Amino acid sequence: MGYVFTRSGLDGLLASLAKENLLFAPRRYVGQGEFSDTDSIRYGRVSSVEEMELEAKSQHTFKEALLPISETLFFFTEDSVKEADIRRGQAIVFLRSCDLHAVRRFDEIYLGNGGEDYYYQRLRDQVKFVLLGCPSAYENCFCVDMGTNVSTDYHASLDARDGRYHLDLREESWKPLFDQHAERQTAVTPAHVTETATRVAVPEKLEAGAVARSGLWDEYDTRCIACGRCNFSCPTCTCFTMQDLFYSDNGRAGERRRVWAGCMVDGFTDVAGGGSYRRPYGQRMRFKVLHKVLDYKQRFGYHLCVVSGRSDDVCPSYISFSTALNKLGDVRAVAGAKGC
């Protein structure tokens, strides 16, 4: 069921939803960018259309709503453990098609890959999604080639066009609010990208051994600086580490936190005894690329990468993930010629 809203009508809807929900959407933070006189676009709490950035792409993803950067799981003393309270309130997240496809990857990793992750599940149960339509592709996006340009698994959608806001509603519990604030009803189909300037062709059958032995990864030994920005801006990087924080006034009491981690960052592969794997940055790049388009697909049947383009956008060394993917075809061709 589709609705058309004026700006004031949509503000009224958002205000009504915000009474019982936390609304998260891309926001523009003026002057808080990586360089002087630049802005940062990242997710934050909103309650009106004015606070939402509906045109430019966010440099950071929605995933903090599902997997906080630092999340306390439980508190402990010598003889007791207390589970941390869950975040109060339901959440509604406004996100684009590629990010909504990333939610499926989150669910697969945390709920369908062995036992369910209890802490993820309790947050996931409280989140609903509003799809933001994409009439055209952003720089470095190649969602069409990866099949993440169209999404239908949403509770509502939002498109801004012709001075109005067009919403498709699938969440029945919201219908009274939509009826109250909408200008009129009409059929609505979310806008989606149909072509991208960046194109990628991932080989259907990659020979893991040949790709791993390839010299294409060597250039990243010197180009990459292991800052991890690609990991932390990517909507499908879900790795974490555990930290025990002991309170200074009582060394036998504290809390356990789950904290974001990334395969490109120093310390990620450290093991007991002082060992560490994939020290060369090029081998970390190999691991990341093949996880996105090879081993995850072998396990679950579809690629982990959803092509938000953010890793290209934020890399200070201008490393292009799409270029790395396209080079895989060259490795496969060489491997085939050598009979690998």
Side-chain angles (χ1 to χ4, degrees):
M1 182 178 298
Y3 293 83
V4 176
F5 288 78
T6 62
R7 186 185 183 93
S8 61
L10 184 55
D11 276 338
L13 174 65
L14 295 177
S16 296
L17 290 172
K19 291 178 181 178
E20 297 183 357
N21 301 275
L22 307 174
L23 309 186
F24 293 97
R27 294 191 59 166
R28 180 178 293 273
Y29 294 85
V30 178
Q32 297 185 27
E34 287 79 4
F35 305 99
S36 61
D37 300 324
T38 63
D39 301 340
S40 174
I41 303 174
R42 61 184 188 271
Y43 271 76
R45 291 275 302 276
V46 299
S47 58
S48 67
V49 180
E50 184 179 5
E51 296 174 324
M52 302 169 67
E53 175 56 69
L54 297 177
E55 295 184 5
K57 179 171 67 173
S58 63
Q59 292 111 349
H60 302 274
T61 76
F62 71 95
K63 63 185 180 183
E64 291 179 52
L66 292 180
L67 192 70
I69 296 176
S70 179
E71 177 186 14
T72 298
L73 304 183
F74 55 83
F75 302 91
F76 58 85
T77 64
E78 293 180 78
D79 53 9
S80 66
V81 174
K82 178 187 179 298
E83 179 183 315
D85 294 334
I86 191 172
R87 177 186 62 202
R88 294 182 179 180
Q90 300 283 318
I92 300 174
V93 181
F94 294 74
L95 72 181
R96 302 193 183 276
S97 178
C98 56
D99 284 342
L100 192 49
H101 277 274
V103 175
R104 177 188 177 191
R105 276 72 172 168
F106 265 77
D107 291 346
E108 193 80 78
I109 291 170
Y110 283 99
L111 303 178
N113 186 29
E116 293 184 354
D117 186 297
Y118 167 77
Y119 295 97
Y120 174 82
Q121 181 71 74
R122 68 177 189 169
L123 279 177
R124 180 69 174 85
D125 289 342
Q126 292 191 339
V127 179
K128 291 183 172 61
F129 300 100
V130 176
L131 172 68
L132 298 176
C134 275
S136 59
Y138 293 101
E139 184 180 8
N140 297 320
C141 295
F142 48 100
C143 54
V144 175
D145 289 336
M146 300 295 280
T148 58
N149 56 317
V150 178
S151 184
T152 58
D153 190 19
Y154 54 81
H155 297 89
S157 69
L158 170 61
D159 287 84
R161 60 176 182 266
D162 304 326
R164 292 290 190 272
Y165 299 90
H166 300 250
L167 285 82
D168 181 38
L169 176 64
R170 298 189 176 187
E171 175 58 46
E172 284 296 322
S173 66
W174 294 349
K175 188 177 185 304
L177 293 179
F178 274 62
D179 290 336
Q180 176 185 348
H181 296 286
E183 181 180 58
R184 57 187 170 86
Q185 291 189 16
T186 186
V188 174
T189 300
H192 66 271
V193 175
T194 57
E195 59 180 331
T196 61
T198 302
R199 301 297 308 275
V200 166
V202 179
E204 284 297 322
K205 295 183 179 180
L206 285 172
E207 203 287 297
V211 175
R213 293 189 299 270
S214 170
L216 78 86
W217 312 111
D218 296 343
E219 67 173 279
Y220 302 109
D221 287 342
T222 53
R223 292 185 61 193
C224 178
I225 61 173
C227 66
R229 292 181 69 181
C230 56
N231 291 141
F232 302 131
S233 66
C234 174
T236 62
C237 280
T238 57
C239 292
F240 60 85
T241 187
M242 291 295 188
Q243 294 181 355
D244 284 342
L245 175 66
F246 293 91
Y247 301 147
S248 58
D249 57 344
N250 185 348
R252 298 183 179 181
E255 61 188 73
R256 173 160 295 181
R257 295 178 179 177
R258 170 155 63 188
V259 182
W260 284 9
C263 59
M264 301 300 294
V265 180
D266 290 343
F268 182 77
T269 58
D270 288 355
V271 296
S276 183
Y277 299 92
R278 296 193 299 275
R279 290 182 185 273
Y281 296 163
Q283 291 307 303
R284 299 180 192 184
M285 184 70 173
R286 171 192 59 78
F287 176 82
K288 182 182 72 171
V289 170
L290 296 188
H291 181 47
K292 299 291 186 182
V293 298
L294 177 61
D295 59 80
Y296 181 92
K297 185 178 181 181
Q298 290 175 337
R299 185 176 183 87
F300 299 111
Y302 58 96
H303 289 306
L304 178 61
C305 179
V306 296
V307 210
S308 73
R310 292 187 180 96
S311 60
D312 288 22
D313 298 338
V314 304
C315 179
S317 298
Y318 302 102
I319 293 173
S320 171
F321 189 74
S322 58
T323 299
L325 293 183
N326 282 327
K327 287 181 178 180
L328 296 177
D330 298 333
V331 174
R332 180 168 176 253
V334 171
K338 293 182 178 179
C340 294

